[in-house]
Amino acid sequence: MWSLKPVLVIVLSLSLSLIDAQLSGSVGPSTSAASKAAIKVCNVLNYGAKADGTTDIGAPLVSAWAACQTGGLVYIPSGTYAMSTWAELQHGSKVAIQLDGTIVRTGTAGGNMIAISNTDDFEFFSGTSKGAIQGYGYEYISQGTYGARFIRFTDTSNFSLHGIALVDSPSYYTVFDTCSNGEIYNMILRGIQIGETDGIDIWGTNIWVHDVEVTNGDECVTVKSPSKNILVESVHCNISGGCAMGSLGLGTDVSLVHYRNIYENGAGGHYIKSYGGTGTVTNCVFENFIIHGSAYTLTNNEYWNHDSGGTGVIVSDITYTNWKGTNIDNSRPVIRYQCADTAPCFGITMSDINLWTTDGTSVTWECESAYGSGGCLRNPSAGTTSYAASFTTIKTAPAYSASTMPNDHAAAYPSTTSFTIPAVPTTFFPGLKPSSALLSLTTYARREAEAEPTAALVMKSFRA
Ligand SMILES: *[C@@H]1O[C@H](CO)[C@@H](O)[C@H](O)[C@H]1NC(C)=O
Ligand SMILES: *[C@@H]1O[C@H](CO)[C@@H](O)[C@H](O)[C@H]1NC(C)=O
């Protein structure tokens, strides 16, 4: 069995050299976009697309994919493209999509605007860091409804998604369903503060999410079951539901999930949620959280909602360390570790947890059927039998200092007007540089800017 303690020690002492402490191998496309472009470039302009803001890019994108799907680069040059029909892109291998333009939703169907499936060695990116999808979600949300989701990857391996702004989705932004060896980074997701707008939902194996900013009203970056070897780091959840795991139901199988350097402003901490599931969540680490004004802070709630009828998910060997910040309204405990009475949690460690409130002179810790060390957890020697919720009142504010990000305390965006497309940021956690520079700052983008948007020239520029 994988042992938690040695890895934790290494992570804390050598954090920079062990970026992939929880990954099981390499992530991202197996071949570079430049080498794909050297095989073939399928420019959507040659398949019927027009950067005129009205011609549908849906069918041209499907045709360009068909022409490049076994080796090549689908190229969407700068300019504004309307999308009125959705693109289902399947069975790709050694293929990339370079989105340097803006895709604007004009269609009204449900489903996913861009769905990638059964694809291997795939990169979806912007070469100029200016690619965007504008969903005009406010058109639905201001009417109390939802529209299409933006992007779904299914059964896709050795992939990346990076350098793109996803703006005002009419529903979920991205979902990664049963994917492996993936990397998601240098992204900004920005929209209305309302439920059903999950930012990044993942289930799969060996996936690294880093350097992303999410403003929405539901999950920021969430891991669902089954998942293994997921590393989530340098995430800025700016007005968001926050990061969660779940809801977890029958047959839960989650292990080796590592979140670190998570900055949340008006977003919901980290919580594991389930009710009457079965299976396990084990060997996970949640470290270096800064949370300003969160509704939920450090939470495991095994009585979340919708009893799925099992005896409870067994949550064990979970470490929380270096958390600081505040809840808002003080209506919930800052630590709430409420395990199923029929499946007590064990091996939980909480250290250096400094959680206070924006309003009030005390905070509450709540533990139920939870064993380990720190917080209100009961000592393992007490056994692993159930116990009723017990509440501890903390009357002394912890001493800590928690940095802020620039410009993060503004009010939520209105749901009645369209959004300006933001630039992809270059900082996501106070004091940390992104792991990869934006392509707009590298030779890749310079070559791109020099090239005419034609297949031959793009190809030549890549070969230069
Ligand atoms: C992903 O890449 C790895 C290593 O490059 C390779 O072994 C594996 O077969 C690839 N996955 C799939 C599903 O093709
Ligand atoms: C955070 O979101 C608010 C709107 O909700 C916005 O005004 C602000 O600019 C965002 N901050 C950053 C750093 O993007």
Side-chain angles (χ1 to χ4, degrees):
M1 193 181 155
W2 187 83
S3 139
L4 182 67
K5 285 229 170 67
V7 170
L8 234 197
V9 169
I10 292 164
V11 166
L12 291 175
S13 55
L14 295 170
S15 53
L16 279 179
S17 57
L18 280 184
I19 272 165
D20 58 351
Q22 294 277 6
L23 298 173
S24 57
S26 62
V27 292
S30 321
T31 39
S32 70
S35 61
K36 288 164 184 164
I39 300 170
K40 189 174 186 183
V41 172
C42 301
N43 186 329
V44 291
L45 297 175
N46 299 330
Y47 295 86
K50 288 193 171 71
D52 59 5
T54 55
T55 304
D56 179 29
I57 194 179
L61 180 54
V62 171
S63 304
W65 174 269
C68 261
Q69 78 187 97
T70 57
L73 179 133
V74 174
Y75 182 46
I76 306 172
S78 64
T80 302
Y81 303 83
M83 190 164 202
S84 58
T85 61
W86 307 158
E88 249 190 84
L89 311 175
Q90 303 174 327
H91 305 293
S93 157
K94 211 174 189 180
V95 53
I97 299 176
Q98 180 170 345
L99 170 63
D100 290 348
T102 299
I103 293 177
V104 169
R105 180 198 59 80
T106 57
T108 54
N112 299 288
M113 287 174 62
I114 299 178
I116 317 284
S117 62
N118 298 101
T119 288
D120 180 56
D121 187 2
F122 173 58
E123 184 168 3
F124 188 178
F125 73 108
S126 174
T128 56
S129 314
K130 292 208 169 106
I133 302 180
Q134 165 65 274
Y136 293 130
Y138 80 96
E139 293 177 359
Y140 289 90
I141 292 163
S142 62
Q143 305 302 312
T145 59
Y146 294 98
R149 298 175 174 200
F150 271 176
I151 296 175
R152 186 181 190 96
F153 284 52
T154 307
D155 293 314
T156 290
S157 52
N158 301 314
F159 69 91
S160 65
L161 170 66
H162 61 104
I164 296 176
L166 301 178
V167 181
D168 199 11
S169 177
S171 180
Y172 285 35
Y173 288 77
T174 66
V175 173
F176 299 87
D177 167 355
T178 319
C179 292
S180 61
N181 305 346
E183 186 177 5
I184 300 145
Y185 62 103
N186 290 351
M187 297 286 294
I188 183 163
L189 283 57
R190 176 172 288 184
I192 298 161
Q193 186 185 16
I194 193 158
E196 303 297 318
T197 57
D198 289 19
I200 299 176
D201 280 14
I202 300 168
W203 56 105
T205 55
N206 196 41
I207 296 174
W208 184 21
V209 181
H210 61 97
D211 302 299
V212 299
E213 180 181 322
V214 178
T215 302
N216 66 349
D218 212 317
E219 305 293 355
C220 180
V221 179
T222 186
V223 173
K224 294 177 182 288
S225 175
S227 283
K228 193 173 180 184
N229 298 109
I230 311 284
L231 175 61
V232 179
E233 65 180 331
S234 293
V235 172
H236 181 181
C237 308
N238 175 38
I239 319 273
S240 165
C243 295
M245 206 179 263
S247 292
L248 303 169
L250 300 175
T252 293
D253 184 9
V254 175
S255 62
L256 299 166
V257 174
H258 191 163
Y259 277 68
R260 71 175 163 210
N261 305 333
I262 308 297
Y263 180 90
E264 304 193 34
N265 166 49
H270 190 276
Y271 47 111
I272 302 173
K273 37 189 193 180
S274 64
Y275 188 1
T278 57
T280 56
V281 174
T282 190
N283 287 317
C284 300
V285 177
F286 302 95
E287 62 174 320
N288 308 343
F289 275 61
I290 297 175
I291 301 169
H292 296 296
S294 170
Y296 300 87
T297 41
L298 193 169
T299 307
N300 173 18
N301 184 349
E302 297 211 37
Y303 293 98
W304 178 253
N305 58 18
H306 307 306
D307 187 349
S308 38
T311 48
V313 175
I314 300 168
V315 176
S316 68
D317 298 312
I318 313 287
T319 294
Y320 300 86
T321 186
N322 189 21
W323 284 50
K324 47 200 175 186
T326 49
N327 76 5
I328 196 163
D329 298 337
N330 212 7
S331 58
R332 298 185 177 90
V334 291
I335 295 176
R336 183 177 194 180
Y337 229 77
Q338 194 180 13
C339 302
D341 292 332
T342 44
C345 302
F346 58 92
I348 313 300
T349 305
M350 296 182 191
S351 64
D352 205 5
I353 307 293
N354 299 291
L355 294 173
W356 194 241
T357 178
T358 56
D359 18 33
T361 54
S362 66
V363 294
T364 305
W365 296 349
E366 176 186 0
C367 283
E368 174 177 347
S369 300
Y371 291 91
S373 65
C376 50
L377 297 161
R378 289 205 183 163
N379 190 299
S381 65
T384 52
T385 49
S386 66
Y387 63 88
S390 77
F391 298 85
T392 313
T393 304
I394 309 299
K395 292 186 174 148
T396 309
Y400 68 88
S401 73
S403 313
T404 53
M405 292 289 280
N407 194 28
D408 71 356
H409 283 289
Y413 293 101
S415 60
T416 47
T417 47
S418 64
F419 284 63
T420 306
I421 294 173
V424 178
T426 51
T427 173
F428 300 87
F429 187 85
L432 288 187
K433 268 193 182 162
S435 301
S436 315
L438 289 179
L439 288 185
S440 57
L441 307 173
T442 71
T443 51
Y444 188 94
R446 282 206 297 280
R447 288 179 195 164
E448 210 41 52
E450 286 158 11
E452 291 296 311
T454 66
L457 282 174
V458 173
M459 205 158 33
K460 207 167 95 197
S461 75
F462 279 117
R463 281 176 174 157

